[in-house]
Amino acid sequence: MKKKFLSGLAVSILALAITSGLHAQESGSTAKVKTPASVESLIADETAAANNRAASVLPGRINIKVVKSFDRSFGNIPEKKWYALEDGYVVYFKVDDISMKAVYNKKGTWMHTLRFYTEKNLPFAVRDLVKRTYYDFSIFFVIEIETDNKIIYLLKMEDKDSLKTVRVIDGEINEIEHYNKSS
């Protein structure tokens, strides 16, 4: 069950956040789940899933508009990996200790950016808002989704009995997943 929970974590949460029309949904599922060993393993799972859907591309074969758009937004990032999608490109890279994924359409227009990190990189206002409600929970993984006009935070949290995913948008918190650690 742990593998099932972790393998689709980032992809399923992103899909849920976007396709649900940003309305809260709750799940009362129970499952035996342990906290992942590291954030890096979660990112590796998400990256592996993306690699199965996309073909690796050499930088010289990418639309120059996409490369210029990336460079304007993120600067000179020495280590990045590009993939071609059916309708555009995705690039994986790291800034400091934050793993990132930026998506562009074929014309070079930026679509969205995902950032994967831990509680220590979470903006204070978001952390404070969540901790006031979920004070007994520790935040072990954050997915930040930046779109044209919004920043959405998906926080994976746990206490001794359960795992939760909460979504924070414009100062509002919604619980979108809940798993009991024991059946």
Side-chain angles (χ1 to χ4, degrees):
M1 190 64 170
K2 177 181 175 181
K3 186 172 183 172
K4 180 180 177 186
F5 176 75
L6 296 177
S7 66
L9 175 74
V11 176
S12 65
I13 297 297
L14 176 60
L16 177 64
I18 292 171
T19 60
S20 69
L22 305 178
H23 297 291
Q25 295 182 3
E26 294 185 26
S27 171
S29 304
T30 60
K32 290 185 179 181
V33 181
K34 290 185 177 180
T35 304
S38 72
V39 172
E40 292 301 322
S41 68
L42 291 171
I43 295 165
D45 285 347
E46 199 277 336
T47 304
N51 292 349
N52 290 334
R53 296 185 310 273
S56 182
V57 177
L58 296 172
R61 296 194 158 268
I62 300 167
N63 180 336
I64 192 67
K65 291 179 182 178
V66 175
V67 175
K68 286 181 179 181
S69 180
F70 175 83
D71 288 344
R72 273 192 307 273
S73 298
F74 300 103
N76 184 20
I77 305 292
E79 292 185 36
K80 54 191 172 274
K81 187 137 186 173
W82 289 93
Y83 294 91
L85 303 172
E86 256 183 55
D87 53 353
Y89 299 92
V90 61
V91 57
Y92 289 88
F93 58 103
K94 201 167 190 174
V95 175
D96 299 323
D97 58 346
I98 298 175
S99 294
M100 300 173 72
K101 169 184 167 180
V103 178
Y104 295 86
N105 68 17
K106 286 191 176 194
K107 295 181 180 180
T109 304
W110 171 81
M111 304 304 291
H112 61 269
T113 299
L114 279 75
R115 293 174 179 83
F116 307 94
Y117 52 85
T118 59
E119 181 177 357
K120 73 177 183 171
N121 295 105
L122 190 62
F124 176 79
V126 176
R127 183 185 180 280
D128 184 53
L129 178 69
V130 171
K131 287 292 192 168
R132 278 193 255 142
T133 304
Y134 298 96
Y135 46 85
D136 285 338
F137 282 77
S138 62
I139 300 167
F140 65 88
F141 189 64
V142 178
I143 302 170
E144 177 185 315
I145 306 162
E146 181 182 355
T147 63
D148 225 4
N149 55 2
K150 285 199 183 297
I151 295 180
I152 303 163
Y153 298 92
L154 302 172
L155 289 79
K156 290 289 186 183
M157 308 183 311
E158 74 172 337
D159 69 358
K160 64 183 176 97
D161 299 321
S162 62
L163 291 165
K164 291 185 186 287
T165 302
V166 297
R167 178 177 52 214
V168 179
I169 305 172
D170 297 330
E172 268 189 51
I173 303 172
N174 295 300
E175 186 175 312
I176 58 173
E177 280 184 322
H178 176 93
Y179 294 95
N180 292 327
K181 288 185 177 179
S182 60
S183 306

